[in-house]
Structure formats: C-alpha cells, structure tokens
Amino acid sequence: MIRRMPAAETADAQLQRTAAQFREAFGCPPTHAAAAPGRVNLIGEHTDYNDGFVLPLAIDRRSVVVAVPREDYVVRLRSTGVEGEASFDLTQPVTTGEPAWSNYLRGPIALGGELGLKPTGFDALVDSTVPSGGGLSSSAALEVSMLTLLEALTGQMLDPVQKALTAQKAEHEFANTPCGIMDQFISTMGKEGHALLIDCRDHSTRDVKLDDPEVVVLIINSNVKHELNGGEYAERRQQCEAAAGTLGVKALRDATLDMLESTKGQLDDTAYRRARHVIGENQRTLDCADALDARDYAAVGNLMFASHDSLRDDFEVSTPELDKLVELAKAHHDPEAGVIGSRMTGGGFGGCTVSLVRRDAVDRLADQITADYRQATGVEAEAFVTVPSAGAEILEV
Ligand code: GLA
C-alpha cells in the first residue's frame, strides 16, 4: 500500500471547516480570517543567513486563522490540531507561555503590537495543513498568518518586507530558532505560478516562472522529524560567520572560490567545506533561476543534484534517509521523461526532498520511490505534488 498525502485542501474549504470549528469552540461565527502558506525551497540552502540567494515557492498548504474581536483586551488562542488554550491580556507585555505551540502566535502579537498593530482582545482558532517538523516552514506559516490576521483586525497594513522581518524576529525571540529570512519572506510574498529569487541582502526579488504544464514539483517527506533549535543550525551559522571573518568579507555572499582557495591555509577543513558550500550554492541558485527561465531542465536538474551533494558532503546537514530519497529519484533521472532533479529542502537534519518531475511520470515515480524507500529504510515516506501558490492574504468570512 502506497501512502499518499490527501490532495491539498483549497483555502476556501479550509476556511469553512475552520470557521465551523470556531463556532463550536467559541459559540459564535468568526468575523475575521487570514491565511499564510508553507514553502518549499527549490535551491539556495543555508545561503539566506549568508546574505545570499534563495529560490523558494509558496505551497498549496497553509495556516488559516479565524477570529472574532472582544470588547476587553483578553486574547484566547486555540488550535484545531493540538490541545490547550493560551489566554493573556494585551494590557500586559505579551511573553512566551503555554501551550508551546502558542509561541508561534504570541511572537507576532507582541512584535506586531510594537509596530502599531494593536487590536482589542480577540478569540482565535488556528488550523494548519502544512506538515509540521517536515522542513516546509509550518512555523513561518503560523507567524505570518497571525500578522495578517492582525492587519485584518486593525485595518492597518504592514509593508511586506517589514512584515516578513517581524515574523522572522518572532521566530528568533519566541521560538528560539535563529532562522534566516527565506521562510517568512516567501510565506508573505509567494506568487501563484512562480518561484521567487530572493536576494537576502537587499531583499529584492525576481519572479521566476514555474508554470510549465509538463513539469510538477514533487515533495517527499522522509518522515524523519527534526528540530532546528537542536543547536546544529546555530552552529552552522557561526561556522559561516567565522569563515567570512577569516576570508575578510562581510558575509560569505561576498566571497569567491578563488578567494577561498587562496585562504585555504588559514581555514580548518570544516570551515573550508562550509564556505565552499555557500559560495557554490549562491552561484547554483542564480544559475538555476536562469535555467528555469530558459526551461533548460537538464541544467536545472544538474544544479539540484549538485546542491544536494554539497549539503551532504560539505555542509553536512543531510540524513541517510534524505540521501536515500535523492538517490532513488536519481535512478529515474531523465529531464525529458522522468525526474529532472532532486535534493533535500529546508534546514536539513530530516524533513523533505523536493524534486522536479515530468507530469506524465510523476504518479508512477512517486509510488516507485516511496516503495523502494520503505524497503531500504523501513520508514513510510509521504509523497505529494504541490503548486506554486500565492503568499499570505486576508480572507473574507
Ligand atoms: C531553515 C531556516 C531558513 C533557511 C533554511 C536553510 O528553513 O528557517 O531561514 O536558513 O533553514 O536554507
């Protein structure tokens, strides 16, 4: 039996379902609603906090939050997926608290308030169809959906870059994860039918069309969970900053392979390999955006496979399960009729792979790869096709 994720629920269906649950939980219909998507990164991994380039797309799985304003300053937060209720008063500073999941919503409420998004109290219910812990930015979706709800409640809109930066700060301060800007940025600014090439230094973006009807984005969850605040992520960041210091540049974005070679004697082997990944990955990301524009899928695929190898060998953030999924996909490498390219996606240490696959072949290949993966690892993977989707939006209830 092959385990397939159910087809993605539309935003409207998810809204109706969540609104009905809100009525049950709070005894009245919601009056305000917002949604923000998860993301998958096509290429450009561990480059965002090096001032580099990333190429993610928003996916058709999202966090929806519905609410009704209150006459006092009390906020009550509930979730459709997890037990418990968070309750606090907006006349006091908003801090971290129980239940743990509420911190992804408390952060945006606290920091949104500092930017003037100050609603009265409200009751809210959140529902997410982004698999959690799978490297698809379920936390960014929660954060950005809450900021968007605050926009709906106050009628005050944030500048999109400021909104993404605020959600990132919430992740740093309320979820204790020193993430880069990619996830919150694409969840805010995703565009239907497109990936976004983001310059993480100046925050400029370039739309990259991803609307070839013959090609689909396949996500396979290795179903090995990870926690980014396990320390590995922060350690990688420090290693990159130290390498940039030795190379005499502000960030690894400014380094070249020539500079790296001439400084080799001053870097230990680990620092050298970390820097080599980031420098190479930035170039691969720019090249991949151009190759996608030209629909040069042979080039796109080679860049994706090279990215995975570099994350596995130089940056050391892959897992045996992710390596296995990419190896199994590579066995069907055929830019004309099969797998175009495949790699791990997100922070690593578990989670998902992303593959570009010819539409005609995707059902057969997803079944084959997950069956072979089960045989090799004993773990059941989940495969699903996603479509490049719009970023956060206020929904009409
Ligand atoms: C996590 C972080 C992102 C980014 C990726 C690696 O998803 O949240 O900011 O650094 O890892 O590319």
Side-chain angles (χ1 to χ4, degrees), residues 117 149-157:
L117 295 180
L149 178 76
L150 295 176
E151 291 178 320
L153 287 168
T154 59
Q156 192 190 322
M157 298 299 144

Side-chain angles (χ1 to χ4, degrees), residues 83-96:
E83 288 291 305
E85 178 181 283
S87 177
F88 47 90
D89 198 309
L90 288 179
T91 57
Q92 306 295 316
V94 179
T95 57
T96 55

Side-chain angles (χ1 to χ4, degrees), residues 39 45-46 48-49 179-183 228 233 346-347:
R39 66 99 187 91
E45 219 66 84
H46 289 275
D48 61 352
Y49 54 81
C179 64
I181 187 56
M182 166 168 68
D183 308 345
L228 276 188
Y233 185 87

Side-chain angles (χ1 to χ4, degrees), residues 39 41 44-49 54 135-137 139-140 168 171 177-184 226 228 233 237 277 281 311 315 343-348:
R39 66 99 187 91
N41 190 20
E45 219 66 84
H46 289 275
T47 44
D48 61 352
Y49 54 81
V54 293
L136 299 176
S137 296
S139 56
Q168 180 200 23
E171 176 95 19
T177 302
C179 64
I181 187 56
M182 166 168 68
D183 308 345
Q184 291 78 10
H226 67 111
L228 276 188
Y233 185 87
R237 273 194 86 137
H277 165 73
E281 186 78 353
L311 287 158
F315 218 66
R343 53 183 288 282
M344 57 153 276
T345 187

Side-chain angles (χ1 to χ4, degrees), residues 50-321:
N50 289 297
D51 278 2
F53 298 94
V54 293
L55 188 59
L57 54 120
I59 62 173
D60 55 355
R61 294 174 196 257
R62 64 196 82 73
S63 163
V64 163
V65 57
V66 301
V68 85
R70 296 167 58 97
E71 279 170 11
D72 56 15
Y73 283 88
V74 171
V75 172
R76 291 193 295 172
L77 305 173
R78 291 198 200 169
S79 156
T80 58
V82 213
E83 288 291 305
E85 178 181 283
S87 177
F88 47 90
D89 198 309
L90 288 179
T91 57
Q92 306 295 316
V94 179
T95 57
T96 55
E98 295 295 326
W101 57 263
S102 71
N103 288 322
Y104 295 105
L105 307 176
R106 289 170 185 262
I109 295 171
L111 300 173
E114 288 175 15
L115 296 174
L117 295 180
K118 282 183 182 291
T120 57
F122 57 92
D123 291 332
L125 179 67
V126 67
D127 176 82
S128 180
T129 53
V130 186
S132 76
L136 299 176
S137 296
S138 53
S139 56
L142 289 174
E143 290 148 1
V144 175
S145 68
M146 179 47 83
L147 281 177
T148 309
L149 178 76
L150 295 176
E151 291 178 320
L153 287 168
T154 59
Q156 192 190 322
M157 298 299 144
L158 294 174
D159 161 74
V161 172
Q162 188 186 34
K163 185 170 167 182
L165 290 170
T166 305
Q168 180 200 23
K169 196 169 173 216
E171 176 95 19
H172 289 182
E173 294 178 4
F174 283 72
N176 212 15
T177 302
C179 64
I181 187 56
M182 166 168 68
D183 308 345
Q184 291 78 10
F185 212 95
I186 188 69
S187 182
T188 305
M189 275 167 262
K191 218 171 164 185
E192 239 171 82
H194 293 80
L196 219 56
L197 177 68
I198 305 169
D199 179 333
C200 298
R201 170 167 278 167
D202 69 9
H203 302 143
S204 61
T205 61
R206 176 176 128 203
D207 294 347
V208 177
K209 270 208 171 115
L210 204 64
D211 60 351
D212 183 340
E214 304 296 318
V215 172
V216 296
V217 180
L218 175 69
I219 295 174
I220 305 184
N221 193 337
S222 69
N223 276 332
V224 179
K225 299 255 181 186
H226 67 111
E227 290 294 337
L228 276 188
N229 49 11
E232 297 84 356
Y233 185 87
E235 184 190 63
R236 293 300 182 285
R237 273 194 86 137
Q238 282 155 12
Q239 290 168 334
C240 288
E241 276 158 31
T246 308
L247 285 162
V249 291
K250 182 163 176 268
L252 285 178
R253 146 79 173 268
D254 305 307
T256 62
L257 286 177
D258 283 347
M259 289 165 73
L260 182 65
E261 288 313 314
S262 58
T263 323
K264 199 170 177 180
Q266 297 166 47
L267 293 164
D268 66 29
D269 178 56
T270 304
Y272 171 79
R273 286 183 296 114
R274 301 294 187 256
R276 184 167 63 182
H277 165 73
V278 175
I279 296 168
E281 186 78 353
N282 273 326
Q283 192 58 50
R284 282 189 288 273
T285 305
L286 293 170
D287 292 347
C288 192
D290 291 344
L292 276 173
D293 278 342
R295 293 197 175 176
D296 179 352
Y297 295 124
V300 169
N302 290 337
L303 291 162
M304 290 177 78
F305 286 123
S307 167
H308 184 80
D309 291 349
S310 176
L311 287 158
R312 181 192 59 209
D313 300 335
D314 278 355
F315 218 66
E316 297 179 284
V317 291
S318 188
T319 62
E321 292 82 9

Side-chain angles (χ1 to χ4, degrees), residues 321-338:
E321 292 82 9
L322 290 168
D323 294 343
K324 180 49 83 177
L325 282 172
V326 171
E327 179 196 314
L328 292 170
K330 205 170 190 174
H332 303 282
H333 182 202
D334 178 352
E336 301 299 322

